[in-house]
Amino acid sequence: MKKYFTMLMLLIIAPMVFAAQTAKVGEAAPDFTAADSMGTMHHLSEYRGKFVVLEWHNNGCPFTRKHYDGGHMQQLQKEWTAKGVIWLTVISSAPGQQGYMTPSQENDYMAKMHAVPTAALLDPTGQVGHLYDAKTTPDMFVINPQGVLIYGGAIDNRPTVDQSDVQGAENYVSEALTAAMAGQPVKTPVTRPYGCSVKYQD
Amino acid sequence: MLLAVCGGVTRAQGQGNPQESIRAPHLTVTLVAEPKAVSLGTTLWMGLRFQAEPGWHIYWQNPGDSGEPPRVEWRLPVGITAGGMQWPTPKRLGTKSIVDYGYAGDTMLLTRLRVDGKFHGNATPSVGAAVSWVVCSDICIPGKGQLSVPLGVAPSAGSKAGGIRAGKDAGSQFAAPTKLFADAVGRLPRRMPGTWHAAAVDESSSFELTLVTGKRESRAVFFPSTPEQVRNASPQDVTALPNGVKLTLAKSDGLLKPIAVLRGVIVLGDGIGYEVTAPVKAMQPAENQKEKTP
């Protein structure tokens, strides 16, 4: 009886402990629930069976603007969502901080910039950001169809603010997706993300 | 002041028309030479001085969780070569969840220049630098510009006679280093005294870094030279030892493979930074057992 009780307790506690752990490359990507700029709720778990990209975003950050002002990030969003990838832009800026967006502001921004992620998640409490320990904008994560985090870090190998550096850079997100879709291991699974700090409320 | 914003980058005053100092938003950058004259076979310091407004900072070579260090490309006359950038001991900056390593206020990054036999001192030489940086408070503003500083030419014993003549500032090379440079050199991390010893043990989720100095050290802060080894935002647990100090450093989640050495700068209670290269030993189960047995 005691044994069954212990097992039952483990079954109850295990998912809670799991949910509290931050994301780690090579392990299951922690699940979350967040509303997008259209008011739709997204659960990461509903995208099991698909590749998911998480892109931390702050439209006032010069490192983010490097990838948006020339249309490069939008190009990546277009290219990979066309191949079935779920691309979630995540905004963890707290109210009053740089990059914080109301739903309508974000919708206007995406229309103006021709941004085409699957959705832009609004995370003003920083809950999703802290779960993934997102540090910079951009900070990029790739999750495979089995729900395992297979990449975390920089968007590419050129940690600058110069748009001219985008051409010819080694894009780690595209590399991870290309390799994983071909059944290959990801060559560079972790890099130091570069950019502005995420403007959390703490 | 002429300012133009282009592609998110502030092009500071003076770009395309190099000068010794650039005033940019929240920051002034100045190129300084010490001494101000060159002669064959000597070395001189070049200082890149960043004076940030209160509340603004720039970054160390390992910036920590966010930001980027300043970058420089030297424009040097033939016969003058530059060594690597020497970074002053940084400070921990940032918030609870994002910790950066950098410098607030007035900071000078140093580079050693060497004057070799190919140098012809028949014109007034100048040293130029294409500099880019990111200066941050709660937000970040990038900037870049061209700097240049003229140098005099000092006569030197055994130099190519005639090829080298005295420049107008030649006398200054014999002057004692200015306080500016003496202070900047004093802020560079020092080499560890030969009697000291550093070693690290790889625990499953942390590194235990022990520094033996010969006396009790109750305060220590470690700055990792390489990103993604130590979790920057985690508090560093400091234990004073009778002959030194032990730090428990949480591992970065991004560290997927064991490392052979932990390199960085350790700042002790006196505020002085020391360069540390600690060989990393895997935790020995037997040794661990022994420690736990009274």
Side-chain angles (χ1 to χ4, degrees), chain A residues 55-75:
Chain A
E55 173 222 333
W56 259 267
H57 181 84
N58 164 0
N59 67 22
C61 165
F63 292 92
T64 304
R65 293 190 54 187
K66 168 192 176 186
H67 294 280
Y68 270 88
D69 288 358
H72 171 248
M73 190 71 86
Q74 299 90 317
Q75 183 57 41

Side-chain angles (χ1 to χ4, degrees), chain A:
Chain A
M1 185 63 204
K2 196 181 169 195
K3 196 172 152 193
Y4 285 113
F5 179 73
T6 311
M7 276 179 67
L8 187 68
M9 282 305 287
L10 275 173
L11 281 172
I12 294 167
I13 293 167
M16 291 166 62
V17 171
F18 172 74
Q21 271 184 348
T22 53
K24 204 170 173 184
V25 169
E27 296 180 4
D31 196 14
F32 58 79
T33 301
D36 71 13
S37 60
M38 309 299 283
T40 308
M41 297 303 281
H42 295 259
H43 309 273
L44 178 67
S45 53
E46 76 193 68
Y47 298 120
R48 195 58 64 86
K50 293 184 172 186
F51 283 95
V52 178
V53 170
L54 304 177
E55 173 222 333
W56 259 267
H57 181 84
N58 164 0
N59 67 22
C61 165
F63 292 92
T64 304
R65 293 190 54 187
K66 168 192 176 186
H67 294 280
Y68 270 88
D69 288 358
H72 171 248
M73 190 71 86
Q74 299 90 317
Q75 183 57 41
L76 287 174
Q77 292 165 348
K78 203 167 159 183
E79 179 189 341
W80 290 110
T81 53
K83 292 177 183 166
V85 173
I86 301 297
W87 187 295
L88 302 173
T89 298
V90 188
I91 301 172
S92 297
S93 294
Q97 298 277 359
Q98 187 187 50
Y100 170 77
M101 301 296 268
T102 63
S104 65
Q105 283 172 338
E106 180 58 13
N107 290 334
D108 290 349
Y109 169 80
M110 287 198 291
K112 189 181 105 193
M113 298 302 287
H114 308 289
V116 285
T118 307
L121 305 184
L122 305 180
D123 179 43
T125 62
Q127 210 177 352
V128 183
H130 287 308
L131 194 59
Y132 279 76
D133 205 7
K135 295 187 180 90
T136 61
T137 51
D139 193 348
M140 308 295 296
F141 295 86
V142 179
I143 299 159
N144 74 8
Q146 290 73 45
V148 174
L149 188 62
I150 57 168
Y151 178 75
I155 183 165
D156 63 23
N157 65 341
R158 293 190 183 159
T160 69
V161 295
D162 290 330
Q163 261 185 58
S164 60
D165 282 334
V166 171
Q167 281 307 317
E170 187 181 346
N171 190 288
Y172 296 125
V173 175
S174 291
E175 261 184 22
L177 286 168
T178 304
M181 283 181 181
Q184 304 291 319
V186 176
K187 194 179 75 182
T188 314
V190 175
T191 59
R192 173 188 175 268
Y194 71 84
C196 308
S197 58
V198 175
K199 311 305 178 195
Y200 291 120
Q201 63 181 359
D202 67 1

